[in-house]
């Protein structure tokens, strides 16, 4: 009888249709991970999933809004169908009004949308993901920003959302310490992405690196145990990454 082969590691990545999410998905796929990917625009997401699965491996694309509870249930069910979960990467993010404008020039409903996407949804996904993450020794990876710690005009509600997510990540890390799973914040640094281009259309991004600049960090993180990194906040473009502040 043939022994079953090792089950590949599994990542659920939100906002995987472009930018950093797409780059990380492609990188983990190249390392043999199985993937559950999501973003709202089905055509963009399917294009990424088809490109990756054309090279082999398992890629499940589930289009939808991470702010929608029924969609989050579908994402967790997709991860369950793969038998394990190693990373929940909360990467999907809203900047607010794009192009960016001053805090109080935002329609009030945009405040709710940004906080729902950038803070509430990551936590609401972490909740049902944690049993599987505990089993695998896995990680909740929450994407942060320098805007969480420094003050930039016009980044107001986005900055507040990332600061809130950082603090929630620290609290979660303490609450799940020694459970097997861990939680980290990652500030990826400036990257030339669709989101950045749309937020600041007149800004010359030619000197800003693409999201590939963060790959050495992700490679490093794949080799760490949850216990080693739990509660830390990393800057992906500023290695060496250990030890980091808890
Ligand atoms: N780019 C930078 O310089 C920079 C700097 C610091 C931090 N970051 C952080 O790094 C992460 C990635 O940034 P990026 O620039 O690569 O982002 P991006 O180009 O704006 O892409 C965002 C991704 O999230 C998806 N998305 C947005 N809202 C969603 C929702 N409600 N539900 C599901 N998917 C959603 C988008 O697809 P749909 O629109 O089709 O849903 C897209 O796939 C973000 O958390 C961002 O805050 C970026």
């Amino acid at each position: 009888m043939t022994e079953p082969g090792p089950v590949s590691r599994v990542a659920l990545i939100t906002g995987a249709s472009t930018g950093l999410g797409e780059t990380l998905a492609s990188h983990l796929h190249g390392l043999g991970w199985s993937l559950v990917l999501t973003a709202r625009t089905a055509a963009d997401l399917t294009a990424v999933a088809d490109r990756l699965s054309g090279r082999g491996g398992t890629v499940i694309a589930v289009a939808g809004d991470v702010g929608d509870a029924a969609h989050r249930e579908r994402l967790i069910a997709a991860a369950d169908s793969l038998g394990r979960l190693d990373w929940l990467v909360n990467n999907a993010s809203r900047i607010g009004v794009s192009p960016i404008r001053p805090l109080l020039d935002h329609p009030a409903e945009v405040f709710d949308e940004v906080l729902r996407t950038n803070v509430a949804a990551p936590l609401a996904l972490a909740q049902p993901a944690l049993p599987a993450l505990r089993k695998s020794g896995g990680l909740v990876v929450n994407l942060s920003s320098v805007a969480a710690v420094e003050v930039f005009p016009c980044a107001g509600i986005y900055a507040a959302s990332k600061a809130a997510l950082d603090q929630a990540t620290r609290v979660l890390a303490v609450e799940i310490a020694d459970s097997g799973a861990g939680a980290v914040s990652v500030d990826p640094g400036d990257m030339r992405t669709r989101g950045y281009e749309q937020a600041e259309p007149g800004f010359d991004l030619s000197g800003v690196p693409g999201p590939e600049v963060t790959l050495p960090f992700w490679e490093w993180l794949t080799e760490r145990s949850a216990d080693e990194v739990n509660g830390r906040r990393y800057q992906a473009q500023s290695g060496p990454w250990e030890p980091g502040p808890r």
Side-chain angles (χ1 to χ4, degrees), residues 14-22 38-42 44-45 64-67 71 90-95 113 117-118 121 142-147 158 162 165 186-196 198 208-209 211 237:
T14 71
S17 64
T18 185
L20 176 60
E22 178 186 5
T38 193
R40 292 166 303 175
T41 312
D44 292 351
L45 184 69
D65 189 327
V66 292
H71 178 56
N90 284 308
N91 167 76
S93 183
R94 296 274 314 264
I95 189 112
E113 283 167 23
T117 306
N118 298 8
N142 289 329
L143 268 297
S144 183
S145 166
V146 67
Y158 172 78
K162 293 297 188 182
L165 185 61
V186 179
D187 166 10
D190 275 6
M191 303 169 295
R192 196 181 57 256
T193 63
R194 188 177 76 189
Y196 199 161
Q198 289 173 348
V208 177
Q237 294 190 41

Side-chain angles (χ1 to χ4, degrees), residues 31-242:
L31 295 177
W33 290 46
S34 297
L35 301 173
V36 178
L37 306 180
T38 193
R40 292 166 303 175
T41 312
D44 292 351
L45 184 69
T46 306
V48 170
D50 287 352
R51 184 172 54 77
L52 295 181
S53 57
R55 299 184 204 147
T58 303
V59 182
I60 303 178
V62 190
D65 189 327
V66 292
D68 170 10
H71 178 56
R72 291 194 298 268
E73 277 175 27
R74 286 192 286 276
L75 293 175
I76 296 298
D80 284 348
S81 76
L82 296 178
R84 62 181 287 157
L85 182 62
D86 297 87
W87 282 9
L88 164 63
V89 184
N90 284 308
N91 167 76
S93 183
R94 296 274 314 264
I95 189 112
V97 177
S98 210
I100 53 173
R101 62 167 102 139
L103 181 60
L104 296 185
D105 289 353
H106 283 61
E109 63 271 17
V110 174
F111 297 144
D112 290 337
E113 283 167 23
V114 170
L115 293 172
R116 186 168 59 243
T117 306
N118 298 8
V119 188
L123 299 177
L125 266 175
Q127 214 163 30
L130 268 167
L133 293 173
R134 284 195 177 105
K135 255 190 241 163
S136 66
L139 284 178
V140 177
V141 180
N142 289 329
L143 268 297
S144 183
S145 166
V146 67
V149 291
E150 288 181 28
V151 176
F152 301 99
C154 299
I157 190 61
Y158 172 78
S161 75
K162 293 297 188 182
L165 185 61
D166 273 358
Q167 186 68 342
T169 308
R170 287 188 198 100
V171 172
L172 176 64
V174 168
E175 292 174 352
I176 65 175
D178 304 321
S179 73
V184 295
S185 288
V186 179
D187 166 10
D190 275 6
M191 303 169 295
R192 196 181 57 256
T193 63
R194 188 177 76 189
Y196 199 161
E197 281 160 5
Q198 289 173 348
E200 301 193 55
F203 191 69
D204 178 13
L205 292 179
S206 56
V208 177
E212 310 72 39
V213 72
T214 63
L215 290 180
F217 169 75
W218 297 113
E219 181 88 41
W220 176 86
L221 192 63
T222 60
E223 291 160 6
R224 304 277 83 76
S225 71
D227 192 42
E228 233 178 313
V229 296
N230 187 37
R232 295 184 194 273
R233 184 181 191 279
Y234 291 104
Q235 291 174 285
Q237 294 190 41
S238 307
W241 297 289
E242 207 178 18

